Amino acid sequence: MAITFTLGRPEMTKALLRVLRGEPVWPPPVWLMRQAGRYLPEYRAVRATVPDFIALCTTPDLATEVTLQPIRRYALDAAILFSDILILPWALGQGLAFKEGEGPVLPPIRDEAAFGLLDPSRVARNTAPVMETVRQIRASLTREGFESTTLIGFAGAPFTVACYMVEGSGSRDFAATRTLAWQNPSLFDRIIELLIETTTQYLSAQVQAGAEVLMLFDSWAGVLAPSRFRRYVIEPTRRIVVALRERFPDVPVIGFPRIAGPSVEAYAHETGVSAVGLDTAMDLARVVPMLPETVAAQGNLDPLALVAGGAAMAEETQAILAAMRGRPFIFNLGHGIVPQTPPEHVAALIEMVRAS
Ligand code: 1CP
C-alpha cells in the first residue's frame, strides 16, 4: 500500500528527500551505487572519447552526460554526481593516475615532507569543473523532465581518502595506512584534520552549486580496530556533519561506513547522519533494530545477485523489502554495481522494487 502525505514545498514530493526526513515512503526510492559506469554501453562510448578518467571527471559536459545516462534508462530516484572520491587528493596537489586495469596510483604520503606538499588553497580552483557539473546536472534533470530525481553530491570520508593518500593505491587491508596511524598518530591526525576541513569546503560548494543530498563514502571503515574507528571514522564524520548542518540545515547526509559490522550502531547514533548505508554483509533483521528511528537505512542487495538476476535476485530483493517495509528506507546495493552487470537485470530490479 502506498503511504502518501500532502506537503507544501514542491521539492518535498521527491521520495528520496521524504525518506531522508524520516518518512517511511513505500514503495521505497531506489538508486544504485556506481550506477553510471562500465556496465552501460553508452558510458563506454563517452569514456572512449577522453584520454583518462580524470579528464572525464573534470569535463562538465561529459560528466553531466554520464550522470544522466542511468536516469534516462531507469528514471532512478537519485542521480549521483559523476566524479570520484580521489578528486579531492588530486585537487590538493597529490599526483593521481588511473592505470588501466590497476585502479588509482598516487605518490604515497608517509612523512611530514610529503604531507607538506599538499596545498588546500588550490581545492576551490581545481574543483571548479565539478561545481559546473553539479549546476549542469540540476539544469538537465529539470529540462529532461526528471522532476522526482534528487541530485546527490558526495566525497570520500576522511579515513577512506587517507587510505589511498597514504597507501598510494588500492589495497586489500591498507596495512601501511593502519601502521602509520599507530606509529605516527600526530602525522595521521594532521592528514585527517586537513581532510575534515577540505571535505567540508568541497561538499559545501557542491550544495551551493545545487546538490540536494550529500553522501560520505567510507569504504574502508571496516579495517580499523574499534578505538581507531571512533577516532578516524565516527569523529571526523560527526565534525563534517555538524559543520554542514550549521550552514545547510535542510541538506541530508548519507553515511556509508562499509564493513563496519556492529560499529554501525555507534556510527548511526553519534555522527548525526540522516541515513546510514548498509553493506552487503549486514543482516538487516539484526542491524535495523540497532538504528535510531530517525535515521533512514540504505542498502543492501549483493551486487553479484544483480549480475545473476532471475530467481536469486528476486528472492533476495523481496527479503530486503520485507525486512524494511514500514521504515524510512532507500533501496540500493550493498556496494557498487560491477562492470559485468547486464543492464536488463537492472531494469528488472527497479521494476520489482517499484511494484512492492
Ligand atoms: O571508467 C573507469 O574505468 C573508471 C572506473 C571508475 C568509476 C566509474 C572509478 C575509478 N571511479 C568511478 C566513479 C565513482 N567512484 C563514483 C560516481 C559514479 C556513480 O556512482 O555512478 C563514485 C561515487 C565513486 C566512489 C569511489 N571511488 C569509492 C567509494 C565507493 C566504493 O566503491 O567503495 C572508492 C573506494 C573509489 C576509488 C576508486 N575509483 C576508481 C576505482 C577503480 C576505485 C577503487 C580502487 C580500489 O580498488 O581500491
Side-chain angles (χ1 to χ4, degrees):
M1 191 189 72
I3 300 165
T4 49
F5 290 84
T6 312
L7 293 152
R9 289 191 288 158
E11 73 269 24
M12 290 297 279
T13 61
K14 292 185 177 185
L16 190 84
L17 291 176
R18 288 168 55 201
V19 167
L20 289 168
R21 281 156 197 158
E23 259 186 70
V25 177
W26 211 267
V30 50
W31 69 280
L32 306 175
M33 289 188 278
R34 299 273 189 112
Q35 63 194 18
R38 282 183 295 171
Y39 74 106
L40 291 176
E42 60 268 37
Y43 171 85
R44 291 195 297 268
V46 173
R47 178 71 183 78
T49 67
V50 283
D52 60 65
F53 178 69
I54 299 169
L56 181 54
C57 293
T58 54
T59 306
D61 288 352
L62 299 182
T64 299
E65 173 61 23
V66 296
T67 301
L68 288 169
Q69 286 172 343
I71 311 305
R72 292 187 191 124
R73 270 188 187 248
Y74 310 115
L76 295 146
D77 289 282
I80 182 159
L81 165 68
F82 190 84
S83 181
D84 195 83
I85 65 165
L86 300 177
I87 287 295
L88 184 58
W90 171 82
L92 282 162
Q94 188 174 10
L96 170 66
F98 282 91
K99 298 251 163 85
E100 215 53 59
E102 272 180 59
V105 183
L106 309 89
I109 295 178
R110 303 201 187 153
D111 55 32
E112 297 285 342
F115 177 72
L117 297 175
L118 299 174
D119 181 0
S121 75
R122 298 187 201 178
V123 169
R125 192 175 62 241
N126 287 343
T127 60
V130 176
M131 305 314 153
E132 177 54 27
T133 303
V134 172
R135 281 187 287 272
Q136 285 196 28
I137 298 167
R138 273 306 287 278
S140 302
L141 286 171
T142 305
R143 193 175 53 241
E144 297 185 26
F146 295 110
E147 306 289 345
S148 56
T149 299
T150 304
L151 177 56
I152 303 178
F154 75 93
F159 175 68
T160 288
V161 175
C163 277
Y164 290 94
M165 292 173 77
V166 172
E167 210 78 20
S169 67
S171 163
R172 198 165 37 81
D173 57 4
F174 290 92
T177 307
R178 288 152 63 208
T179 306
L180 183 79
W182 289 120
Q183 279 182 336
N184 191 348
S186 80
L187 175 60
F188 199 70
D189 281 347
R190 289 182 65 197
I191 298 172
I192 294 288
E193 201 63 36
L194 177 74
L195 288 171
I196 292 170
E197 278 163 34
T198 52
T199 302
T200 303
Q201 174 199 337
Y202 177 54
L203 290 174
S204 297
Q206 291 183 35
V207 172
Q208 284 163 332
E212 301 169 277
V213 170
L214 298 169
M215 180 153 167
L216 281 168
F217 286 90
D218 222 342
S219 303
W220 299 106
V223 301
L224 288 170
S227 67
R228 299 306 91 176
F229 183 89
R230 196 161 278 288
R231 177 154 160 175
Y232 297 129
V233 172
I234 293 184
E235 189 54 20
T237 302
R238 191 190 64 75
R239 284 181 48 197
I240 292 171
V241 170
V242 166
L244 290 168
R245 197 144 290 152
E246 267 170 25
R247 297 185 67 179
F248 313 105
D250 294 332
V251 176
V253 180
I254 304 171
F256 181 44
R258 196 170 72 90
I259 40 183
S263 295
V264 74
E265 182 174 16
Y267 182 96
H269 278 87
E270 295 171 29
T271 58
V273 293
S274 310
V276 55
L278 303 174
D279 63 69
T280 303
M282 288 284 187
D283 179 348
L284 295 181
R286 281 171 178 254
V287 171
V288 169
M290 294 179 181
L291 305 179
E293 285 200 0
T294 51
V295 173
Q298 171 174 285
N300 76 341
L301 182 70
D302 184 347
L304 300 178
L306 179 59
V307 173
M313 177 179 89
E315 279 167 32
E316 197 65 13
T317 299
Q318 295 304 345
I320 291 169
L321 290 166
M324 302 312 292
R325 189 177 272 274
R327 296 195 59 107
F329 176 57
I330 302 157
F331 193 96
N332 206 315
L333 302 177
H335 197 193
I337 197 167
V338 294
Q340 67 270 32
T341 305
E344 58 277 15
H345 291 189
V346 177
L349 174 69
I350 306 300
E351 202 175 312
M352 204 176 298
V353 174
R354 295 229 160 113
S356 68

